[in-house]
Coordinates of all heavy atoms in Angstrom, one line a residue:
D239 N -20.1 -2.4 5.3 CA -20.6 -1.2 6.0 C -21.2 -1.5 7.4 O -21.2 -0.6 8.2 CB -21.7 -0.5 5.1 CG -21.1 0.2 3.9 OD1 -19.9 0.5 4.0 OD2 -21.8 0.3 2.9
H240 N -21.6 -2.7 7.6 CA -22.3 -3.0 8.9 C -21.3 -3.2 10.0 O -21.7 -3.2 11.2 CB -23.2 -4.2 8.7 CG -22.4 -5.5 8.4 ND1 -21.9 -6.3 9.3 CD2 -22.1 -6.0 7.2 CE1 -21.2 -7.3 8.7 NE2 -21.4 -7.1 7.4
L241 N -20.0 -3.3 9.7 CA -19.0 -3.6 10.7 C -18.6 -2.3 11.5 O -18.2 -1.3 10.9 CB -17.7 -4.2 10.2 CG -17.7 -5.7 9.7 CD1 -16.3 -6.1 9.4 CD2 -18.3 -6.6 10.8
T242 N -18.8 -2.3 12.8 CA -18.4 -1.2 13.6 C -16.9 -1.1 13.7 O -16.2 -2.1 13.5 CB -19.0 -1.3 15.0 OG1 -18.3 -2.4 15.6 CG2 -20.5 -1.5 15.0
P243 N -16.3 0.0 14.1 CA -14.9 0.1 14.3 C -14.4 -1.0 15.3 O -13.3 -1.6 15.1 CB -14.7 1.5 14.8 CG -15.8 2.3 14.1 CD -16.9 1.4 14.1
A244 N -15.2 -1.2 16.3 CA -14.8 -2.2 17.3 C -14.7 -3.6 16.7 O -13.8 -4.4 16.9 CB -15.7 -2.2 18.5
E245 N -15.7 -3.9 15.8 CA -15.7 -5.2 15.1 C -14.5 -5.3 14.1 O -13.9 -6.4 14.0 CB -17.0 -5.4 14.4 CG -18.2 -5.7 15.3 CD -19.6 -5.6 14.7 OE1 -19.7 -4.9 13.7 OE2 -20.5 -6.3 15.2
R246 N -14.2 -4.2 13.5 CA -13.0 -4.3 12.6 C -11.7 -4.5 13.4 O -10.9 -5.3 13.0 CB -12.9 -3.0 11.9 CG -14.0 -2.7 10.9 CD -13.9 -1.3 10.3 NE -15.3 -0.7 10.2 CZ -15.5 0.6 9.8 NH1 -14.5 1.4 9.5 NH2 -16.7 1.0 9.7
A247 N -11.6 -3.9 14.6 CA -10.5 -4.1 15.4 C -10.4 -5.5 15.9 O -9.3 -6.0 16.1 CB -10.5 -3.1 16.6
A248 N -11.5 -6.1 16.1 CA -11.5 -7.5 16.6 C -11.1 -8.5 15.5 O -10.7 -9.6 15.8 CB -12.9 -7.9 17.2
A249 N -11.2 -8.0 14.3 CA -10.9 -8.9 13.2 C -9.4 -9.1 12.9 O -9.0 -10.0 12.2 CB -11.6 -8.5 11.9
G250 N -8.6 -8.1 13.4 CA -7.2 -8.2 13.1 C -6.5 -6.9 13.7 O -7.2 -6.0 14.1
S251 N -5.2 -6.9 13.5 CA -4.4 -5.8 14.1 C -4.4 -4.6 13.2 O -4.7 -4.7 12.0 CB -3.0 -6.2 14.4 OG -2.3 -6.4 13.2
Y252 N -4.1 -3.4 13.8 CA -3.9 -2.2 13.0 C -2.7 -2.3 12.1 O -2.8 -2.1 10.9 CB -3.8 -1.0 13.9 CG -4.0 0.3 13.3 CD1 -5.3 1.0 13.3 CD2 -3.0 1.0 12.6 CE1 -5.5 2.2 12.6 CE2 -3.2 2.2 11.9 CZ -4.4 2.8 12.0 OH -4.6 4.0 11.3
V253 N -1.6 -2.7 12.6 CA -0.3 -2.8 11.8 C -0.4 -3.9 10.8 O 0.3 -3.9 9.8 CB 0.9 -3.0 12.7 CG1 1.1 -1.7 13.6 CG2 0.9 -4.2 13.5
G254 N -1.3 -4.9 11.0 CA -1.5 -6.0 10.1 C -2.6 -5.6 9.0 O -3.0 -6.5 8.3
C255 N -2.9 -4.4 8.9 CA -3.8 -3.8 7.8 C -5.3 -4.2 7.9 O -6.0 -4.1 6.9 CB -3.3 -4.3 6.4 SG -1.7 -3.7 6.0
I256 N -5.7 -4.5 9.1 CA -7.2 -4.9 9.2 C -7.9 -3.8 10.1 O -8.9 -3.2 9.6 CB -7.3 -6.2 9.9 CG1 -6.7 -7.4 9.0 CG2 -8.8 -6.6 10.2 CD1 -7.4 -7.7 7.8
A257 N -7.5 -3.5 11.3 CA -8.3 -2.7 12.2 C -8.5 -1.3 11.7 O -9.5 -0.7 12.1 CB -7.6 -2.7 13.6
G258 N -7.6 -0.8 10.9 CA -7.7 0.6 10.5 C -8.5 0.8 9.2 O -8.6 1.9 8.7
A259 N -9.1 -0.3 8.7 CA -9.8 -0.2 7.4 C -11.0 0.7 7.5 O -11.8 0.6 8.4 CB -10.2 -1.6 6.9
L260 N -11.2 1.4 6.4 CA -12.5 2.2 6.2 C -13.6 1.2 5.7 O -13.3 0.2 5.1 CB -12.3 3.3 5.2 CG -11.4 4.4 5.5 CD1 -11.2 5.3 4.2 CD2 -12.0 5.3 6.6
S261 N -14.8 1.5 6.0 CA -15.9 0.8 5.3 C -16.0 1.3 3.9 O -15.5 2.4 3.6 CB -17.2 1.0 6.1 OG -17.7 2.3 5.9
R262 N -16.8 0.6 3.1 CA -17.0 1.0 1.7 C -17.7 2.4 1.7 O -17.3 3.3 0.9 CB -17.9 0.0 1.0 CG -17.9 0.4 -0.5 CD -18.9 -0.4 -1.4 NE -19.3 -1.6 -1.0 CZ -19.4 -2.7 -1.8 NH1 -18.9 -2.6 -3.0 NH2 -20.0 -3.8 -1.4
A263 N -18.7 2.6 2.5 CA -19.4 3.9 2.5 C -18.5 5.0 3.0 O -18.5 6.1 2.4 CB -20.6 3.8 3.4
E264 N -17.6 4.7 4.0 CA -16.7 5.7 4.5 C -15.7 6.1 3.4 O -15.3 7.3 3.2 CB -15.9 5.2 5.7 CG -16.8 5.2 7.0 CD -16.2 4.3 8.1 OE1 -15.1 3.7 7.9 OE2 -16.8 4.3 9.2

Side-chain angles (χ1 to χ4, degrees):
D239 289 336
H240 62 88
L241 286 189
T242 64
E245 287 168 333
R246 297 174 215 172
S251 71
Y252 196 95
V253 296
C255 296
I256 297 289
L260 293 172
S261 70
R262 188 188 340 224
E264 288 165 353

